[in-house]
Each structure stands twice: as structure tokens, then as C-alpha cells.
């Protein structure tokens, strides 16, 4: 690039093709026009940009770059607009100096439904993500960061239907060469409120999650997440957890603490009208958590009520016939807890 006559570079009907990920992804730019307007500044247009990965294709047409700067000490555009069915990106960006210091600001909006062809056939993704990103850094330390708003809903239809929904998540996002960082993201979840801090590599590796949930409804989570149409077990509670692992393959493990109240078991369903067979007004637990494609397993090292103490094991399955299995070993039991 440094050998090109950037100040006077003119292009008519240019073509550019790129292969990414060892050829798994192809990027094609067609009908590239660049008209210099003097002093290393020009106006550019691209007739079509196509991104293809297998059968999944995204296209943008008539992409305009006004006040495009092409100099040996600066590359950038004051007014960039790119729009496909998946993404709309608008703003300005600049790379300055020999170190190519990044600056600028872009508004990004993603339509998540366009990612469905990349997901398993039984999965459906809905929602949108919006963010205004400030660009900075130089060399390999370039960063994009800003506020994020997200509405997401993932539905997995097998023998049962499993739904994970974050209807209004807001927080701070940072994108860098290593991956994605989400800071202080908050929103409604599971009948209550969730706060989430996340760090992940671009391929879903090296994941770290810290989450805090308040007023969570176990009946809601069992019905939506685990696909139990008629939950027998209910509780309202809070959770604090720190997990590490990966999204691909999905496996996260770590520690968790739960404070719950109004724990109850009703045969044939909480809303069946049948009498409660077991209930606790309040309980707390601490233990180790493992989440994977099979389900959620919790090794409860410390289980306490106002009168009893011991340990327990919990498993909530995710398969076509999800299991809910809760077992107590109460070394210090007050039998009035069972009354």
C-alpha cells in the first residue's frame, strides 16, 4: 500500500476478493470507484460487497465513502455507511501516522435473526443489538468500546421447547484483538433481574463470567430454560456466581452462592391445586456448578435453613426428557423443617 500513489489514485470498476479462515469465508468487493478530489482526499463507492460462508450470504449495495482520506500518513473516511440485512454501520474512522493510530466513532445495529442459517436447524435466534462505539489505539492494541443495548431470544425446539430470553440488556462493551468484554450489563431475566460481566475470546474460548441475580423465579426458569411445562418445584431467590470455561464446546464451571425463600414442592405442578408436600420458608447454599450441553449440575457443599444444615446435589437436565433431581444429606436436621 505504501508504494501506491495514494494522493492521485483513481479507480474505475475495480474488483477485490479476499479469502478468510483458510477459504471458509469469502469477501468480494465489486464495482469499486474512487475519484480523487485533491490533497489525498476522494469520494469512493462500492457497487456491491458480498460476505459468504457456505450457504450463508450477506450483501450490501451502493456503499458510499465520502471524504475518503488516502495518504501515506492517514487512511480514513468521515462518512461511512454500510447496510446489509444483518448489520447497519454508520460513522467515521481514521488511521493516522506510521503506527496507524485508530480514531473515530461508529453506530452499529445488528439484526440477530440473520444469523439463524449459521445455527443448528432446531434453534431460532431473534432480537437486535445496538451500540455506539468509540475507536482508539494503535498497532495491535486497537479497541472499540461503548454502550450496548440488546434484546435477544434463543429458542431451541426439540421434544421440549427451551427459551433463553434477555429482553432488555444494557451495559458497556469492549472489542479488542483478544475478543469481547461485557461490563456491568443489567436487565430482566427469569422473572427477576440479572447483572452480567463477561469476557470471551472470538471463538468462544477463554470465557470468564461473573453474574448476580435478584428475585429470580425458579418456576419461570424451569419452564422456559429447561422446558418443564409443569414445574413441581418453586422458589424465589438470588444468586452470585463466577464461572470459567468455553462456549464452544459449551462447558462452564465455578462457584455459586444462592439465597432462597418460599421453597416448595407440589406434586403434579405448582399450579395444580394439590397440597404442598414439602416447603421451607428460607434456605441458603454454597457449592460448585457445572454447566454443559447435558444440563446444570450443582454440588452443594453447604446447605442451611434456620434449623438444619448439610449438603446436597442438584441436577437440571437439558435433553429431550429433562431431569430435575435434588438430593439432600442433612447431617444436622430439625424434623420440624419436614413438617
Amino acid at each position: 500500500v505504501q508504494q501506491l500513489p495514494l494522493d492521485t489514485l483513481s479507480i474505475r470498476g475495480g474488483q477485490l476478493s479476499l479469502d478468510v479462515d483458510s477459504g471458509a469465508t469469502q469477501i468480494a468487493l465489486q464495482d469499486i470507484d474512487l475519484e480523487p478530489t485533491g490533497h489525498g482526499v476522494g469520494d469512493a463507492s462500492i457497487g456491491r460487497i458480498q460476505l459468504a460462508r457456505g450457504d450463508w450470504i450477506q450483501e450490501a449495495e451502493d456503499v458510499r465513502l465520502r471524504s475518503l482520506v488516502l495518504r501515506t500518513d492517514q487512511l480514513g473516511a468521515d462518512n461511512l455507511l454500510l447496510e446489509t440485512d444483518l448489520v447497519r454501520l454508520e460513522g467515521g474512522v481514521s488511521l493516522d501516522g506510521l503506527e496507524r493510530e485508530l480514531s473515530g466513532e461508529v453506530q452499529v445495529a445488528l439484526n440477530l435473526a440473520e444469523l439463524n442459517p449459521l445455527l443448528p436447524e432446531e434453534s431460532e435466534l431473534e432480537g437486535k443489538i445496538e451500540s455506539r462505539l468509540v475507536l482508539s489505539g494503535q498497532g495491535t492494541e486497537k479497541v472499540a468500546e461503548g454502550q450496548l443495548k440488546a434484546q435477544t431470544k434463543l429458542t431451541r425446539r426439540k421434544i421440549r421447547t427451551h427459551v433463553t430470553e434477555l429482553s432488555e440488556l444494557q451495559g458497556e462493551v469492549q472489542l479488542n484483538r483478544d475478543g469481547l468484554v461485557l461490563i456491568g450489563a443489567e436487565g430482566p431475566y427469569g422473572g427477576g433481574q440479572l447483572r452480567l460481566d463477561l469476557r470471551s475470546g472470538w471463538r468462544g474460548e477463554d470465557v470468564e463470567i461473573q453474574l448476580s441475580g435478584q428475585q429470580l423465579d425458579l418456576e419461570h426458569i424451569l419452564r422456559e430454560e429447561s422446558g418443564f411445562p409443569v414445574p413441581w418445584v418453586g422458589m424465589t431467590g438470588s444468586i452470585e456466581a463466577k464461572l470459567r470455561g468455553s462456549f464452544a464446546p459449551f462447558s462452564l464451571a465455578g462457584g455459586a452462592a444462592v439465597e432462597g425463600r418460599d421453597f416448595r414442592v407440589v406434586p403434579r405442578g405448582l399450579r395444580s391445586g394439590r397440597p404442598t408436600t414439602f416447603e421451607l420458608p428460607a434456605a441458603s447454599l454454597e457449592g460448585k456448578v457445572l454447566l454443559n450441553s447435558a444440563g446444570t449440575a450443582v454440588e452443594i457443599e453447604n446447605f442451611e435453613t434456620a434449623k438444619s444444615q448439610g449438603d446436597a446435589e442438584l441436577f437440571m437436565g437439558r435433553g429431550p426428557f429433562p431431569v430435575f433431581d435434588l438430593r439432600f444429606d442433612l447431617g444436622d436436621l430439625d424434623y420440624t423443617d419436614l413438617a
Side-chain angles (χ1 to χ4, degrees):
V1 174
Q2 293 179 351
Q3 302 302 316
L4 293 174
L6 297 179
D7 289 353
T8 59
L9 183 63
S10 177
I11 300 175
R12 289 286 181 272
Q15 311 285 327
L16 178 63
S17 297
L18 301 171
D19 286 338
V20 185
D21 293 336
S22 301
T25 303
Q26 293 85 40
I27 303 173
L29 284 67
Q30 301 174 359
D31 297 328
I32 303 172
D33 289 338
L34 171 61
E35 181 65 34
T37 57
H39 304 291
V41 179
D43 291 332
S45 66
I46 304 173
R48 174 177 294 179
I49 299 177
Q50 184 181 83
L51 171 67
R53 186 175 180 88
D55 294 332
W56 183 70
I57 297 175
Q58 288 290 313
E59 292 185 343
E61 296 185 346
D62 194 24
V63 178
R64 301 285 177 172
L65 297 93
R66 298 297 184 187
S67 300
L68 178 66
V69 179
L70 289 175
R71 294 195 291 260
T72 55
D73 61 345
Q74 184 180 16
L75 299 173
D78 291 337
N79 189 351
L80 167 65
L81 175 61
L82 184 149
E83 188 168 8
T84 73
D85 292 336
L86 171 65
V87 61
R88 176 184 170 88
L89 187 151
E90 184 175 9
V93 60
S94 180
L95 291 168
D96 300 320
L98 297 179
E99 294 295 329
R100 293 290 185 243
E101 184 170 354
L102 177 65
S103 63
E105 185 174 299
V106 294
Q107 181 77 33
V108 181
L110 296 175
N111 175 17
L112 298 180
E114 289 298 315
L115 298 175
N116 280 316
L118 301 177
L119 300 179
E121 185 176 348
E122 67 273 10
S123 297
E124 180 183 3
L125 183 61
E126 305 172 65
K128 60 182 181 181
I129 296 177
E130 298 177 339
S131 182
R132 182 178 293 275
L133 298 173
V134 176
L135 312 178
S136 62
Q138 60 184 20
T140 60
E141 303 301 322
K142 295 181 176 66
V143 175
E145 55 190 344
Q147 293 298 308
L148 173 141
K149 295 182 180 180
Q151 299 174 2
T152 68
K153 182 178 180 181
L154 176 63
T155 303
R156 292 153 291 157
R157 295 183 178 89
K158 298 183 180 180
I159 294 178
R160 298 178 186 267
T161 298
H162 309 262
V163 179
T164 302
E165 184 171 10
L166 295 169
S167 60
E168 189 178 344
L169 189 70
Q170 297 188 46
E172 182 180 343
V173 65
Q174 182 184 99
L175 310 176
N176 56 48
R177 66 170 182 170
D178 296 322
L180 175 147
V181 180
L182 194 59
I183 303 169
E186 297 183 349
Y189 171 77
Q193 193 75 8
L194 183 72
R195 176 187 169 95
L196 175 66
D197 293 275
L198 178 146
R199 182 184 301 271
S200 172
W202 288 114
R203 297 182 181 273
E205 78 286 8
D206 298 328
V207 175
E208 297 180 12
I209 297 176
Q210 182 169 340
L211 61 87
S212 175
Q214 305 294 329
Q215 299 294 320
L216 302 181
D217 183 354
L218 181 59
E219 178 188 8
H220 180 104
I221 294 172
L222 289 174
R223 185 176 59 247
E224 299 294 326
E225 289 273 4
S226 297
F228 291 96
V230 186
W232 290 27
V233 182
M235 182 185 75
T236 301
S238 61
I239 184 172
E240 301 283 341
K242 292 183 179 181
L243 306 173
R244 293 187 175 188
S246 67
F247 289 136
F250 179 55
S251 179
L252 296 168
V258 175
E259 298 282 342
R261 65 180 186 275
D262 299 330
F263 181 85
R264 61 203 182 279
V265 178
V266 181
R268 299 187 183 179
L270 294 169
R271 304 178 187 276
S272 66
R274 298 176 65 86
T276 301
T277 59
F278 179 69
E279 61 181 333
L280 288 171
S284 64
L285 62 88
E286 295 180 0
K288 299 176 181 177
V289 180
L290 172 63
L291 291 81
N292 56 31
S293 58
T296 300
V298 184
E299 180 183 337
I300 303 170
E301 301 167 334
N302 184 25
F303 176 84
E304 292 185 359
T305 72
K307 304 173 183 178
S308 304
Q309 184 175 359
D311 53 46
E313 293 181 355
L314 168 66
F315 180 78
M316 295 187 294
R318 286 195 180 86
F321 299 100
V323 174
F324 182 90
D325 186 7
L326 176 60
R327 304 185 184 197
F328 294 100
D329 182 4
L330 301 176
D332 184 7
L333 172 64
D334 187 316
Y335 283 92
T336 60
D337 275 339
L338 303 179

